[in-house]
Amino acid sequence: MSSINSHAVNERTTEQSRRTTRKNLVGIGMGNLLEWYDWNVYASFAVYIAAHAFNNDDPTSALLSALAVFAVGFIARPFGGFLFGWIGDRKGRKFSLTLAILLASFGSLAIAVMPDYETMGAWSSLMLLLARLLQGLAHGGELPASQVFLSEVAPRKHRGLWSSWIYVSGTTGILFGVLLAAILNLTLTTAQLDSFGWRIPFALGAVAGLYTLYLRRNMEESEVFKEVAKGNASRKRNIVAQIWEHRRAALQVIGLTIGLTVAYYAWAINAPTFANTQLGMDRGLTLWAGVIGNIVLIAVLPLWGMLSDRIGRKPVMLISAAGALVLYYPMTLWLRDDFMVLLLSVSIMSALLAGALAIMPALFSELFPPEVRTSGIGFPYAFAVAAFGGTAPYVQTWAASASFNFFPIYTMALLVISIATVFTVTETKGKDLNVLGK
């Protein structure tokens, strides 16, 4: 009888563990999906936002103003990385993630209900600016906090595989944004899009954010943070001093990020737009090439994550970054007004870059002790993404119109820095994330 009861208890414990895992994965995935979705739909509907948030007597000036506000969101990200990193290390990963999605949802709702410039004048512009600042702060903290949380709740032997969920869910958010934009363009007239249609994606984002807020309130805090919260004295120390103490790891985060994030933005995000604006390709064809390339990215991410759990983080990072470096210039020369060439080049480069993208959350988390983990990752990672990834599409377009296109050399130089940084990192596969710093 006792063995039967013991078996029943074990089954209940296993089922409870599975439910907790599902809640954590869905909560992290939804928030990360919405972060990337928000960024994508703003860029997709920037023309309509400009017409309603700014004086549209000069449409070009209004569009530039809307794009400048888009850039402000990137500028806010490092501050969000620092703020929410501090919150994550002091109040908990779950609390940080819950607050981040609340602010992001509020920002989406503010854009959805924003009054027209003709009605409120400059107050509409200000409302848009504040909404993007909130989203920038929230998203700057969302990604590092979700990386840390996911790494800490993952089984040690499968941390690389679980780590890939960050870019799987994020890329899915991009595809949702593209799909929604395509559906709205097909089903609504230009007048309807200008009147109310452009607000729909932001309203949906706000509603989905509230659902994600509910999911995250029901997540289980990571056991690693629970151990830190039991009275670790370092939690009372100045966070800046702690980051400075681990400055080598913080610099490694920046070094690993800059080359790979620029290459990622150039190929997985901006290549279809570049082919349309600079090579004269049909917008519909370039859009489909981008969609298929991102599906390829989603498909291979878990494979790279599993490989890193077998052979280590460093070999996968080196294969990914070195492969991107070697193929970058040939792929750039190959690119021309041809759908199959664009599709293959975007897919090949995305598949290569997926190796590094899949395991970055695990590798970054393994570089820091738990008491400074989200802070240590938050600011340097958000800074690198904002300063290099956020400017990549602009620099790529600007360089293409110059007398000499320096963008490939610029990106390859940054990839060399990322590769060099890999050699400074100690192999971290299977590391115990519960080990406190000194």
Side-chain angles (χ1 to χ4, degrees):
M1 179 65 72
S2 61
S3 62
I4 294 175
N5 290 336
S6 177
H7 179 70
V9 170
N10 288 336
E11 283 191 339
R12 285 197 298 270
T13 302
T14 301
E15 179 58 30
Q16 184 178 4
S17 176
R18 288 173 180 168
R19 285 199 300 269
T20 299
T21 298
R22 285 196 295 269
K23 284 192 298 185
N24 287 340
L25 287 175
V26 174
I28 289 295
M30 278 294 296
N32 202 43
L33 181 153
L34 286 173
E35 176 199 343
W36 295 43
Y37 165 89
D38 280 341
W39 238 249
N40 182 267
V41 296
Y42 186 100
S44 298
F45 293 92
V47 173
Y48 298 104
I49 295 171
H52 289 268
F54 301 96
N55 187 346
N56 205 37
D57 290 342
D58 183 353
T60 301
S61 177
L63 178 58
L64 289 173
S65 297
L67 293 177
V69 171
F70 180 71
V72 165
F74 270 104
I75 294 171
R77 291 179 77 144
F79 298 98
F82 182 84
L83 173 63
F84 284 90
W86 178 85
I87 293 172
D89 287 331
R90 294 298 184 267
K91 303 296 182 181
R93 320 317 192 200
K94 174 184 169 182
F95 182 82
S96 178
L97 288 166
T98 302
L99 182 59
I101 197 63
L102 177 62
L103 288 184
S105 301
F106 188 79
S108 292
L109 180 62
I111 296 175
V113 301
M114 179 187 70
D116 290 345
Y117 184 90
E118 292 181 357
T119 304
M120 296 292 292
W123 288 105
S124 297
S125 309
L126 179 61
M127 186 172 180
L128 177 65
L129 176 64
L130 293 176
R132 289 302 293 172
L133 279 172
L134 279 180
Q135 288 186 320
L137 287 170
H139 296 332
E142 164 70 31
L143 193 53
S146 61
Q147 288 177 339
V148 168
F149 182 87
L150 188 61
S151 297
E152 289 182 346
V153 300
R156 190 188 302 189
K157 292 182 179 180
H158 303 293
R159 193 179 294 139
L161 171 61
W162 281 47
S163 170
S164 67
W165 180 237
I166 295 294
Y167 270 85
V168 167
S169 57
T171 308
T172 302
I174 292 176
L175 292 179
F176 276 166
V178 171
L179 180 62
L180 180 58
I183 291 173
L184 291 175
N185 275 287
L186 284 173
T187 56
L188 298 178
T189 66
T190 302
Q192 289 173 326
L193 276 172
D194 183 61
S195 174
F196 65 88
W198 68 272
R199 299 179 186 271
I200 294 174
F202 298 100
L204 291 176
V207 173
L210 292 176
Y211 174 65
T212 305
L213 180 65
Y214 163 77
L215 291 175
R216 289 191 167 178
R217 284 177 58 85
N218 289 284
M219 291 194 312
E220 295 288 337
E221 180 61 86
S222 78
E223 293 298 326
V224 174
F225 178 77
K226 289 180 181 179
E227 288 298 317
V228 173
K230 284 182 179 179
N232 178 29
S234 67
R235 293 179 67 235
K236 299 178 182 179
R237 290 178 53 198
N238 184 288
I239 195 66
V240 176
Q242 284 189 291
I243 295 175
W244 178 253
E245 183 179 326
H246 298 280
R247 59 191 177 277
R248 175 183 169 86
L251 289 173
Q252 286 172 332
V253 169
I254 294 174
L256 291 169
T257 301
I258 56 176
L260 292 158
T261 196
V262 169
Y264 167 75
Y265 271 83
W267 283 103
I269 302 297
N270 198 50
T273 300
F274 181 84
N276 171 241
T277 58
Q278 302 298 321
L279 303 178
M281 286 188 65
D282 177 74
R283 177 60 180 162
L285 291 178
T286 62
L287 184 66
W288 277 110
V291 168
I292 296 171
N294 276 289
I295 291 173
V296 170
L297 178 69
I298 291 172
V300 300
L301 281 165
L303 302 180
W304 282 112
M306 287 189 287
L307 182 63
S308 79
D309 287 326
R310 292 180 63 86
I311 68 173
R313 314 292 186 229
K314 289 182 68 173
V316 169
M317 288 292 292
L318 286 172
I319 292 169
S320 176
L325 174 64
V326 170
L327 289 182
Y328 196 97
Y329 203 70
M331 286 294 178
T332 301
L333 292 177
W334 188 39
L335 200 58
R336 58 182 185 271
D337 185 2
D338 185 297
F339 173 73
M340 286 306 300
V341 169
L342 176 64
L343 174 60
L344 288 174
S345 59
V346 169
S347 298
I348 291 170
M349 293 301 290
S350 295
L352 261 179
L353 291 166
L357 302 176
I359 65 171
M360 275 184 172
L363 176 59
F364 290 168
S365 296
E366 291 161 349
L367 291 175
F368 294 89
E371 65 270 23
V372 70
R373 186 165 288 143
T374 49
S375 303
I377 296 173
F379 178 78
Y381 179 75
F383 167 78
V385 170
F388 293 91
T391 59
Y394 177 83
V395 175
Q396 185 179 27
T397 303
W398 174 49
S401 61
S403 56
F404 171 69
N405 186 358
F406 62 86
F407 187 78
I409 295 175
Y410 165 74
T411 307
M412 292 167 69
L414 293 177
L415 282 170
V416 169
I417 294 174
S418 291
I419 292 169
T421 306
V422 175
F423 287 102
T424 71
V425 175
T426 304
E427 179 57 61
T428 57
K429 176 178 72 77
K431 181 179 180 180
D432 182 3
L433 293 186
N434 203 29
V435 177
L436 299 178
K438 294 180 181 180

